[in-house]
Amino acid sequence: RVSQGQNNKPTFYGNMKIPKEKKMNQIHKTLTSLNQKTMFLVALSFAYFAKALSGSYMKSTITQLERRFDIPSYLIGVIDGSFEIGNLLVIAFVSYFGAKLHRPKIIAVGCVLMSIGTFIIALPHFIIGRYEFETSVRWTINSTINPSPGNISGTINVFPSFPPGCEGESNLSMWIYVLLGNVLRGIGETPVQPLGISYIDDFTSEENAALYVGCVQTISVVGPVFGYLLGSLCAKIYVDIGFVNMETITITPADARWVGAWWLGYLIAGVITLLSAIPFWFLPRSLPMSGHQGAAPCPPEQTSFIKDPSLLEHKYPADEHASFIEMAKDFIPTLRTLLGNPVYLIYLCVTIIQLNSLIGMVTYKPKYIEQHFRQSASKANFLMGVINIPAVALGMFSGGLLMKRLKLNIMGAARFAFGTSVIGYVLSLFFFAMSCDNAKVAGVTLSYHKMDKISYNEHSVFAACNSNCICSGTDWDPVCGENGITYVSPCLAGCTSSAGTGKNTVFSNCSCVGVAGNFTASTGQCPHRDNCDRMFPYFLALSVITSFIISLGGTPGYMLLIRCIKPQLKSLALGFHALATRTLAGIPAPIYFGAIIDTTCLKWGQKRCGGIGACRIYNTTAYRIAYLGLTLGLRTISFILCIPGFILLRKQLKREERNAIHGALANGGTELEALRKEEFVISNSDQSQRTSDNSTERETRL
């Protein structure tokens, strides 16, 4: 019909005749949909940023938590893996049932839970007492005349009996609050990824989906930049700042006993996460499909994985309401269908093994920089945030952009991700050549009698030069002698007097430092005097290059996961993938990486109430071999599994393409027969019409 305007003239829009009011409504709906889509994309990016910031800050504080709660690395791995335990508890149900409910509001609830969990992690700081570190000069703070450490330290540091009520000391169990808070943070993070990514992919065109996912993933990688920078800032601040006189503190941020203000960053991260939940409360359950998405042609590779072509018309039935019982009955058959896809299973196994390598490497990389290259925790976190993480963000974004520009199909995306991973693997082998010698510590890495050669054999911290002192062999209060050798404590250095307070304390008459006995020692370990300073920049440069190359394949690999399954299984596939990787990679990787790192410890700290605490110094060579060897060994196994994966993918693509061709030919034959029938009917109709016209003409002539 033709619509009449104010002047009774029809209004035409192209080849269609549409009322002006209806056209305006369509424009309004399109703009509203675009605004809501943009709002969701921005909100999801901010939520990714918030969760990535708090997660990276957790990893930047592992050494701080070790020292504050006097726990070994494997226990830190348990705390770090508790985040994945929280995901494990609810992710399968959230991914399946959440996809059929109001996804934005479920994401908002998750952000609130993440915020509460982050605040709980910081709670122990406000419950436990002040941090007390091992030191031999604590008694000199209020003393005007400093007695000799060699004569007095036995009464200070030997711990002949435990203090009253020591067994109930809160430090021994306060790390449980950190673990529980991290579990709650993991529960809250569960709906963000599977529901957010599926929501974007459902209501955007196929060609823009990869770019949008790449943008969100890029923002999520920018979050760790600020997380590590926040960790660097807080690591410089003393844990009890404002409650102690800093002039009396004898340790520096480079000391193995230093604990920064770890709790401050969790408070900041909790507030940011809470703010990220606000926009999701105002978003609709679903968005109108953009453009002609339903009619857009699909690539043959994707069509081959979709058995029912009618599903392509609407990628996700967002407005479909189903009862909880009906959804529960469909869960097991749907999961069975998902796991029946061999390509998905191979992809799952490969990513599980590679994530074991990645998670273990990232978790302990700041610690590796601290111990191997003798950098402070603040500097290690700063370098991770400023140099390494931006390379990952650039790689993720470039990977999504390249996939859009090159128009990679499923096989192309798989080859691209595999190629970048292999190149990064080859470059990572050069890390083995970037080694540093261990610190020279008398009685630990070298003998008192042979001060010129480092040896990892069992040594004794007791010698003839300190036999006149009553020293504790378990304390760790290092001093640097004039000879460039570090001693475990001033008592074990044979020092008999001291002057000054705090960091400026100087010990004199140290019999182990020099033969004459009139040599001095200062607080803290000796600075390294080898080629580590020259080697460290090369390590950073190679780390940036390998991180960029490996992350190039991140987005194509992730899109491979989305495209190799049916659209209605998308949320479940993403959720089950996250469930499997967190169960088999996120939880165990930090634990066994930490346990293996613990085996390379040369000197353990001593708890106030007895027992070993955090490690003070490691065997550098063994640490490097264990850390790098385990990381690259796992990636080697994943490459072996990729071979049958490519074979299965190629065979299935060829088989499904043949089926698609046969189906197209069959449909073409049916359509041809229908056309022939239609032509027959039309021809008969035309013949009848001509006969009727001829008879009419004859009658007219008569």
Side-chain angles (χ1 to χ4, degrees):
R1 292 185 297 178
V2 179
S3 175
Q4 302 294 330
Q6 295 180 354
N7 299 325
N8 296 326
K9 295 181 179 180
T11 303
F12 297 94
Y13 296 96
N15 296 327
M16 299 179 62
K17 304 169 184 178
I18 304 175
K20 188 173 182 180
E21 293 80 3
K22 186 176 181 180
K23 184 66 176 178
M24 295 302 296
N25 291 335
Q26 290 179 353
I27 295 175
H28 177 71
K29 290 180 180 179
T30 302
L31 292 176
T32 302
S33 174
L34 182 62
N35 291 335
Q36 291 174 339
K37 189 181 302 180
T38 304
M39 181 179 176
F40 182 82
L41 187 63
V42 173
L44 185 65
S45 299
F46 187 60
Y48 263 67
F49 171 82
K51 76 182 185 69
L53 184 146
S54 58
S56 60
Y57 183 78
M58 163 65 75
K59 295 188 181 299
S60 73
T61 59
I62 60 171
T63 54
Q64 312 294 315
L65 297 175
E66 279 184 26
R67 299 166 185 173
R68 184 63 184 93
F69 300 107
D70 277 328
I71 53 179
S73 295
Y74 83 89
L75 201 52
I76 280 292
V78 174
I79 295 175
D80 187 74
S82 63
F83 175 85
E84 317 298 342
I85 295 176
N87 273 266
L88 173 63
L89 295 176
V90 296
I91 192 168
F93 299 99
V94 168
S95 300
Y96 182 72
F97 296 112
K100 301 176 183 296
L101 303 174
H102 199 299
R103 285 179 282 185
K105 288 188 177 180
I106 296 177
I107 295 175
V109 173
C111 292
V112 173
L113 291 178
M114 273 196 295
S115 176
I116 297 174
T118 308
F119 289 136
I120 293 177
I121 294 176
L123 184 62
H125 173 75
F126 303 97
I127 300 177
I128 60 179
R130 308 274 167 76
Y131 173 57
E132 297 182 6
F133 53 88
E134 300 170 80
T135 178
S136 300
V137 295
R138 189 184 301 121
W139 48 270
T140 66
I141 294 174
N142 296 323
S143 177
T144 57
I145 301 176
N146 297 340
S148 63
N151 295 331
I152 302 297
S153 66
T155 62
I156 299 297
N157 297 320
V158 171
F159 299 108
S161 61
F162 295 151
C166 183
E167 296 300 330
E169 187 182 14
S170 58
N171 287 18
L172 299 179
S173 57
M174 281 295 105
W175 61 268
I176 297 294
Y177 288 92
V178 180
L179 185 143
L180 295 177
N182 211 29
V183 170
L184 185 59
R185 196 172 67 86
I187 293 175
E189 191 266 350
T190 304
V192 177
Q193 180 176 346
L195 301 187
I197 295 298
S198 63
Y199 192 89
I200 288 178
D201 195 63
D202 286 340
F203 305 112
T204 56
S205 61
E206 300 288 347
E207 59 182 5
N208 291 328
L211 182 61
Y212 290 161
V213 172
C215 292
V216 173
Q217 297 282 9
T218 301
I219 297 298
S220 70
V221 180
V222 173
V225 174
F226 292 89
Y228 279 107
L229 290 179
L230 182 61
S232 175
L233 176 63
C234 294
K236 291 181 181 179
I237 306 172
Y238 187 66
V239 59
D240 293 320
I241 186 72
F243 296 95
V244 296
N245 184 6
M246 294 302 297
E247 295 181 358
T248 63
I249 303 298
T250 60
I251 57 176
T252 64
D255 196 286
R257 296 163 294 169
W258 176 271
V259 176
W262 59 273
W263 51 273
L264 180 60
Y266 287 111
L267 296 181
I268 297 174
V271 173
I272 294 175
T273 308
L274 187 61
L275 293 176
S276 68
I278 297 176
F280 292 103
W281 296 106
F282 303 99
L283 286 164
R285 176 190 175 105
S286 62
L287 296 174
M289 304 296 287
S290 59
H292 300 283
Q293 184 178 357
C298 291
E301 290 84 359
Q302 181 180 350
T303 307
S304 65
F305 282 90
I306 301 174
K307 308 297 182 183
D308 188 2
S310 63
L311 294 173
L312 295 175
E313 184 177 359
H314 297 289
K315 294 179 3 179
Y316 180 78
D319 294 327
E320 179 182 355
H321 294 273
S323 65
F324 183 85
I325 298 178
E326 292 176 354
M327 291 188 293
K329 289 180 179 179
D330 293 337
F331 178 74
I332 298 300
T334 306
L335 183 62
R336 189 183 299 114
T337 303
L338 176 65
L339 298 181
N341 189 332
V343 177
Y344 179 79
L345 283 180
I346 293 291
Y347 180 90
L348 197 62
C349 294
V350 170
T351 53
I352 285 173
I353 297 175
Q354 287 196 346
L355 281 176
N356 269 274
S357 173
L358 178 64
I359 292 172
M361 183 268 293
V362 172
T363 300
Y364 294 100
K365 189 170 187 177
K367 185 182 179 71
Y368 178 78
I369 294 175
E370 292 178 46
Q371 297 297 328
H372 195 77
F373 296 99
R374 299 169 206 167
Q375 305 293 327
S376 66
S378 176
K379 186 174 182 180
N381 292 328
F382 178 80
L383 293 174
M384 283 286 291
V386 173
I387 297 178
N388 207 72
I389 302 300
V392 176
L394 182 61
M396 296 288 289
F397 179 77
S398 301
L401 191 60
L402 285 174
M403 187 174 182
K404 179 178 174 64
R405 290 286 179 88
L406 300 177
K407 298 181 179 179
L408 297 177
N409 54 23
I410 290 180
M411 183 61 72
R415 290 172 178 169
F416 187 86
F418 179 77
T420 56
S421 185
V422 170
I423 296 174
Y425 173 84
V426 173
L427 292 177
S428 298
L429 295 175
F430 290 97
F431 284 125
F432 283 101
M434 299 179 179
S435 60
C436 293
D437 294 331
N438 213 335
K440 296 180 179 180
V441 182
V444 179
T445 61
L446 48 81
S447 171
Y448 276 88
H449 304 291
K450 297 180 180 179
M451 294 293 190
D452 57 341
K453 184 177 181 181
I454 292 180
S455 173
Y456 299 108
N457 297 327
E458 188 69 26
H459 297 298
S460 174
V461 294
F462 300 102
C465 60
N466 57 33
S467 59
N468 294 329
C469 302
I470 306 174
C471 303
S472 170
T474 58
D475 289 342
W476 177 259
D477 186 19
V479 293
C480 179
E482 263 187 85
N483 57 357
I485 304 298
T486 300
Y487 296 86
V488 174
S489 69
C491 179
L492 293 171
C495 303
T496 58
S497 61
S498 63
T501 58
K503 302 181 185 68
N504 300 321
T505 303
V506 177
F507 301 92
S508 56
N509 298 326
C510 303
S511 58
C512 294
V513 177
V515 178
N518 58 355
F519 289 86
T520 61
S522 57
T523 58
Q525 288 184 251
C526 295
H528 50 276
R529 298 176 181 175
D530 50 21
N531 60 349
C532 255
D533 286 337
R534 296 192 301 271
M535 187 67 66
F536 188 52
Y538 294 104
F539 171 83
L540 292 177
L542 184 60
S543 178
V544 168
I545 294 173
T546 54
S547 298
F548 173 78
I549 293 176
I550 294 175
S551 60
L552 276 175
T555 301
Y558 200 79
M559 295 307 297
L560 170 64
L561 170 63
I562 296 177
R563 295 290 176 250
C564 73
I565 53 177
K566 297 179 181 180
Q568 73 271 25
L569 298 177
K570 193 183 311 171
S571 293
L572 181 61
L574 291 172
F576 189 81
H577 174 266
L579 170 67
T581 53
R582 280 171 165 81
T583 305
L584 302 177
I587 296 175
I591 299 176
Y592 66 76
F593 263 82
I596 292 176
I597 290 173
D598 284 338
T599 61
T600 66
C601 183
L602 295 174
K603 178 66 177 176
W604 290 96
Q606 180 76 15
K607 290 183 179 181
R608 287 184 58 199
C609 301
I612 62 172
C615 185
R616 303 306 187 191
I617 186 172
Y618 290 88
N619 184 331
T620 303
T621 303
Y623 194 136
R624 182 178 69 257
I625 294 174
Y627 176 74
L628 297 177
L630 188 57
T631 300
L632 297 180
L634 289 170
R635 289 167 64 183
T636 303
I637 299 174
S638 70
F639 292 151
I640 297 174
L641 286 178
C642 286
I643 298 175
F646 277 108
I647 296 175
L648 286 173
L649 180 60
R650 186 179 294 108
K651 287 183 177 180
Q652 187 163 351
L653 284 175
K654 290 182 179 180
R655 183 174 63 253
E656 296 297 339
E657 285 177 1
R658 287 196 300 267
N659 295 337
I661 292 174
H662 290 311
L665 292 176
N667 293 334
T670 304
E671 293 177 358
L672 182 60
E673 183 67 24
L675 287 174
R676 288 177 177 174
K677 291 181 179 180
E678 184 176 355
E679 290 177 357
F680 179 75
V681 172
I682 293 175
S683 61
N684 290 339
S685 176
D686 291 342
Q687 185 176 1
S688 301
Q689 183 67 29
R690 286 195 299 270
T691 304
S692 176
D693 292 342
N694 291 335
S695 62
T696 303
E697 185 178 356
R698 286 196 300 269
E699 291 177 359
T700 303
R701 288 177 181 177
L702 290 174

